[in-house]
Amino acid sequence: MEQLINDLKQQIKEALNLEELSLEDFDADAPLFGEDGIGLDSIDVLEIIVLLEKRYGIRLESPKEGKAIFRSVRTIAEYVQANSKKN
Amino acid sequence: MISVVSTNITSPLGFTTEENYQAVLSGCSALKRYEGKWGLPEPFCASLFDDNQRASLAIEGYTFFEAIAIRSIRTALTYTTLGNSLSRVILILSTTKGNIEALGEELYYPSKAAQRIAEAIGLTREPIVVQNACVSGLSAQLLADRLLSAGFYDYAIVVGAEVQGPFIVSGFQSLKAVSDEPCRPFDMERNGLNPGEAAATIIYTSTRTGRHDAWHLVGGAARNDAYHNVTPQPQGEGLLLAINAAMEGKDKSRLATVQAHGTATLFGDQMESVAINRAGLSDVPLSALKGYYGHTMGAAGVLESILAMRATDDGIVIPVKGFAELGVSGRISISSKLQKTDKSAFLKAMSGFGGCNVALLYEASPQSSSTKKEERHRKKVHTVRLSSEDETSLTDIYKQEIGNYPKFHKMDILSRLAFVAAEKTLSDSKTLSNSPLKGENTGEDSLPLREGWGGSLEVWRGSVILFGHSSSIVADKQYLSTISDAGNFFPSPSLFTYSLPNIAASEIAIRHHLHGETCFYILPEKDEALMQEIVDATLSATGAQAAIFGWIDAESETQYECEMKVTL
């Protein structure tokens, strides 16, 4: 799980061009959206959906399904672990 | 104020304005569901020319995009006496992606397409291309108003055109914005837009030469949300500002209809309903045409305005096809049934990516009113030039001189260039009073750069007006690389967003909370005189307090050129 979390952090940082966010400061439990967290927006969610499909073969139809999934890196990792088709 | 001379709509519903109007009146729609079209994995619903139509519209030696624009203009011209005096006629081409499927060839460049269209028509003046995302068709008409009112030309041919293909459709699909069913504007069940293709033309002249009983574009305004590149500001701030500016001093009881954008996306329609309500237009019958044509993008602003003119002439408000049950919170008067009207004016509103909103007011046989022009004191201009010859990367400039704006790294090269240049220009102009350049100083030692939402009176009305030649070619190529391999087909929503060049203006507007006009114009080459004409006309018409404007062109990561100016 920890490995998956670290992989996801790296992949999200790359996919979203979060250049100024260091992996050490990227808390697995920090909220991804809103001012208090990482501060991602609606386009970022869509990019993460692309990433999950590309890397893990997981297909989400709409960001609406994913409100709970995209809360933090940890919740994404849990979802990936439960649904991954590519390993 | 300018006067309509002639119009044409060339769409899957017909090749003349009248054919289109009759088709819409009888409830026809060209929307169809496509599966596996262009190898796209997801189905979609769209309004596309069929094979027979394509064959009859094609012109040898021209792309289909160019052909429909040429056909539309030629048909519009047949109703005029312009044919022999084309020397003082300007062509304004409105499109979001033009010949995008020719990416990699010379034909890709939007100004190339415009020049080819102009030559086919017999025009000699350099054409202007407006690439302002979904509001392009209205921005193009605003430009026509300004250039004709200033006396630079006798006639303006405004043509909007869009041809659909895998690039645009996959892009909107990546944004989860496309429906595979006929769209349902403002409805509870709406779930996205339908791409559409069409060309539409309005030929305008100044009121000095136009017929008084013709339709007139009597007012209009463009305002930016300064909120997000894609998501509309939920309270419709930008659209409200645009509507209020367009309606200033005008009597809303004269309106037959508010013709909305109504793309049937979740957030777009919702925002529009709120803005219309806040503008006090809840009781004016609302119309929206996407259920007949889909979203014809660069053509939409022109096509939809023409149909509103034709319907209003006929005493009719066109029913909103696809609408059944209200699914937005702003109070609007919407109907799926045909309504009668005895009024002779309407408001056309649109909003698009890049946070841009435009509202235009049209009236038949308007009372003569002197167009109000706000006096502008010609102020000093400060200029910054950046080019790849300096051999400093944009990221290095950002890191060394700007910093603390992580979103910079998400931007495409064009937006980075615009952003860096704007930052340098503004910061230089702020400190000018202490610099050796004092002679060029405005006397103001600080700009209200960080002013937030403060109600419309407080909003800083700065405008961002950008010009270029290569459009968004770098982002276009990057996006294309995400869809060109069927086995590795992962269209990137953020790259697609940056494939609209006006996003570069949006980035500046967001950064500095600028709620004035934002627009991106494509020219064949850097033409200082023409750029100044457009900027002066914009500032004079909008009464903008300040503007950031300039030439911005990026062919690749290492090949770019920019000259950005700020006038305060």
Side-chain angles (χ1 to χ4, degrees):
Chain A
M1 187 63 167
E2 285 310 306
Q3 182 57 47
L4 179 57
I5 285 175
N6 285 335
D7 289 350
L8 276 168
K9 281 185 190 173
Q10 182 65 42
Q11 289 157 1
I12 289 171
K13 180 177 152 93
E14 265 171 38
L16 307 187
N17 295 311
L18 305 173
E19 295 278 326
E20 294 178 26
L21 177 71
S22 76
L23 288 178
E24 292 76 50
D25 294 341
F26 198 168
D27 184 347
D29 295 306
L32 289 174
F33 304 95
E35 300 278 313
D36 308 332
I38 310 296
L40 303 187
D41 71 3
S42 53
I43 300 294
D44 294 322
V45 183
L46 295 171
E47 283 292 345
I48 296 177
I49 291 178
V50 174
L51 181 142
L52 293 184
E53 189 178 348
K54 206 170 173 175
R55 300 283 186 127
Y56 302 98
I58 297 174
R59 212 173 146 70
L60 257 101
E61 280 308 320
S62 135
K64 275 186 288 182
E65 297 173 39
K67 220 169 177 180
I69 305 167
F70 296 117
R71 211 166 49 211
S72 68
V73 173
R74 189 179 304 281
T75 55
I76 296 175
E78 285 163 1
Y79 180 75
V80 167
Q81 201 161 48
N83 294 279
S84 181
K85 289 172 194 151
K86 289 182 188 174
N87 284 309
Chain B
M1 184 158 75
I2 49 175
S3 163
V4 174
V5 178
S6 178
T7 69
N8 169 264
I9 297 173
T10 299
S11 84
L13 290 183
F15 296 169
T16 65
T17 297
E18 198 52 32
E19 280 175 20
N20 274 273
Y21 176 59
Q22 294 303 332
V24 165
L25 264 195
S26 58
C28 292
S29 166
L31 291 172
K32 281 187 194 139
R33 192 171 189 275
Y34 293 89
E35 261 181 75
K37 179 97 178 159
W38 303 313
L40 295 177
E42 288 176 44
F44 60 91
C45 185
S47 166
L48 307 177
F49 289 107
D50 66 28
D51 290 345
N52 289 335
Q53 291 175 324
R54 287 184 77 92
S56 67
L57 291 168
I59 304 175
E60 202 181 333
Y62 292 91
T63 67
F64 188 63
F65 167 77
E66 293 159 357
I68 58 172
I70 293 167
R71 297 257 184 212
S72 177
I73 297 168
R74 281 185 181 157
T75 310
L77 279 171
T78 57
Y79 301 105
T80 73
T81 53
L82 254 77
N84 298 321
S85 55
L86 294 170
S87 62
R88 279 181 47 87
V89 180
I90 177 80
L91 173 70
I92 304 174
L93 171 63
S94 155
T95 185
T96 66
K97 294 310 299 172
N99 278 327
I100 182 61
E101 304 297 340
L103 185 57
E105 300 166 43
E106 180 72 9
L107 282 176
Y108 159 83
Y109 294 95
S111 51
K112 186 74 190 168
Q115 283 174 318
R116 286 159 54 84
I117 294 165
E119 278 164 23
I121 303 301
L123 301 176
T124 49
R125 305 287 282 260
E126 284 291 5
I128 301 169
V129 183
V130 179
Q131 269 195 312
N132 216 21
C134 296
V135 306
S136 299
L138 299 188
S139 297
Q141 293 177 63
L142 265 183
L143 179 66
D145 185 9
R146 291 164 189 171
L147 294 178
L148 291 173
S149 299
F152 296 138
Y153 306 92
D154 293 337
Y155 292 90
I157 298 175
V158 178
V159 62
E162 209 72 54
V163 171
Q164 297 295 336
F167 190 102
I168 299 180
V169 177
S170 69
F172 277 99
Q173 284 181 326
S174 80
L175 292 165
K176 311 288 180 199
V178 177
S179 176
D180 63 350
E181 295 162 8
C183 66
R184 312 193 61 170
F186 300 99
D187 189 87
M188 190 68 98
E189 300 290 325
R190 72 187 183 279
N191 65 352
L193 61 80
N194 304 137
E197 47 191 20
T201 304
I202 304 180
I203 301 175
Y204 279 111
T205 189
S206 74
T207 44
R208 294 182 297 278
T209 45
R211 287 166 54 119
H212 173 70
D213 59 357
W215 275 96
H216 288 67
L217 174 57
V218 296
R223 296 288 183 269
N224 199 286
D225 281 347
Y227 175 74
H228 189 268
N229 287 335
V230 174
T231 310
Q233 204 280 339
Q235 276 72 50
E237 290 290 346
L239 181 55
L240 177 66
L241 289 172
I243 293 175
N244 284 346
M247 291 296 296
E248 195 182 345
K250 303 291 196 318
D251 179 2
K252 68 181 177 186
S253 70
R254 296 169 69 93
L255 296 177
T257 183
V258 174
Q259 200 192 55
H261 196 25
T263 59
T265 58
L266 220 49
F267 296 115
D269 288 11
Q270 165 61 20
M271 176 284 282
E272 269 193 284
S273 76
V274 172
I276 289 166
N277 189 6
R278 290 180 67 194
L281 299 174
S282 291
D283 295 327
V284 181
L286 182 136
S287 49
L289 294 168
K290 301 295 190 290
Y292 302 93
Y293 290 96
H295 188 345
T296 56
M297 301 183 184
V302 186
L303 181 153
E304 294 174 8
S305 300
I306 295 171
L307 280 172
M309 290 175 207
R310 183 63 189 84
T312 309
D313 273 343
D314 218 10
I316 279 169
V317 177
I318 298 170
V320 181
K321 195 176 178 70
F323 170 79
E325 188 186 352
L326 192 66
V328 291
S329 74
R331 194 166 71 80
I332 49 172
S333 299
I334 183 168
S335 176
S336 58
K337 296 197 171 63
L338 188 144
Q339 298 170 79
K340 297 277 185 188
T341 181
D342 57 1
K343 295 173 179 173
S344 57
F346 68 92
L347 185 76
K348 171 76 197 143
M350 290 182 123
S351 303
F353 286 176
C356 35
N357 306 272
V358 182
L360 298 184
L361 180 65
Y362 301 83
E363 193 166 1
S365 317
Q367 298 157 335
S368 62
S369 69
S370 56
T371 317
K372 195 186 87 180
K373 279 200 172 178
E374 294 190 37
E375 273 301 310
R376 270 193 87 253
H377 300 290
R378 182 94 193 133
K379 290 183 179 174
K380 291 289 189 268
V381 170
H382 179 69
T383 306
V384 158
R385 290 182 186 83
L386 290 174
S387 83
S388 42
E389 285 166 20
D390 301 338
E391 291 187 356
T392 313
S393 82
L394 294 171
T395 306
D396 285 343
I397 298 174
Y398 162 78
K399 283 181 179 163
Q400 288 157 18
E401 301 180 38
I402 304 160
N404 200 26
Y405 197 71
K407 199 181 173 211
F408 173 83
H409 302 285
K410 291 174 178 276
M411 298 176 193
D412 75 318
I413 193 77
L414 190 69
S415 293
R416 286 184 187 191
L417 183 57
F419 176 85
V420 164
E423 291 306 295
K424 284 172 71 77
T425 317
L426 286 168
S427 84
D428 285 3
S429 63
K430 266 196 293 185
T431 54
L432 273 182
S433 53
N434 302 320
S435 79
L437 290 170
K438 195 169 180 180
E440 292 181 21
N441 181 26
T442 63
E444 297 174 35
D445 54 11
S446 71
L447 281 168
L449 290 182
R450 294 290 179 269
E451 207 170 284
W453 300 108
S456 55
L457 287 175
E458 302 299 320
V459 169
W460 200 55
R461 288 187 295 165
S463 292
V464 186
I465 307 157
L466 302 179
F467 301 87
H469 168 65
S470 308
S471 185
S472 48
I473 190 166
V474 182
D476 287 359
K477 286 180 175 170
Q478 286 175 327
Y479 176 73
L480 187 65
S481 74
T482 71
I483 60 165
S484 47
D485 177 0
N488 191 25
F489 182 89
F490 295 105
S492 161
S494 83
L495 287 176
F496 179 69
T497 304
Y498 285 105
S499 78
L500 298 163
N502 67 306
I503 295 293
S506 165
E507 292 287 10
I508 298 172
I510 292 170
R511 164 74 157 175
H512 297 292
H513 308 282
L514 305 181
H515 297 284
E517 182 163 330
T518 51
C519 199
F520 204 107
Y521 300 103
I522 306 283
L523 304 177
E525 59 190 6
K526 191 173 174 185
D527 179 338
E528 299 277 2
L530 181 58
M531 286 160 58
Q532 199 62 52
E533 250 175 38
I534 293 174
V535 169
D536 285 347
T538 303
L539 294 181
S540 151
T542 59
Q545 292 167 1
I548 298 168
F549 60 98
W551 178 262
I552 160 169
D553 207 68
E555 277 277 346
S556 72
E557 302 276 349
T558 53
Q559 206 182 348
Y560 58 81
E561 186 200 352
C562 174
E563 183 174 294
M564 197 73 84
K565 302 179 185 208
V566 59
T567 173
L568 302 168

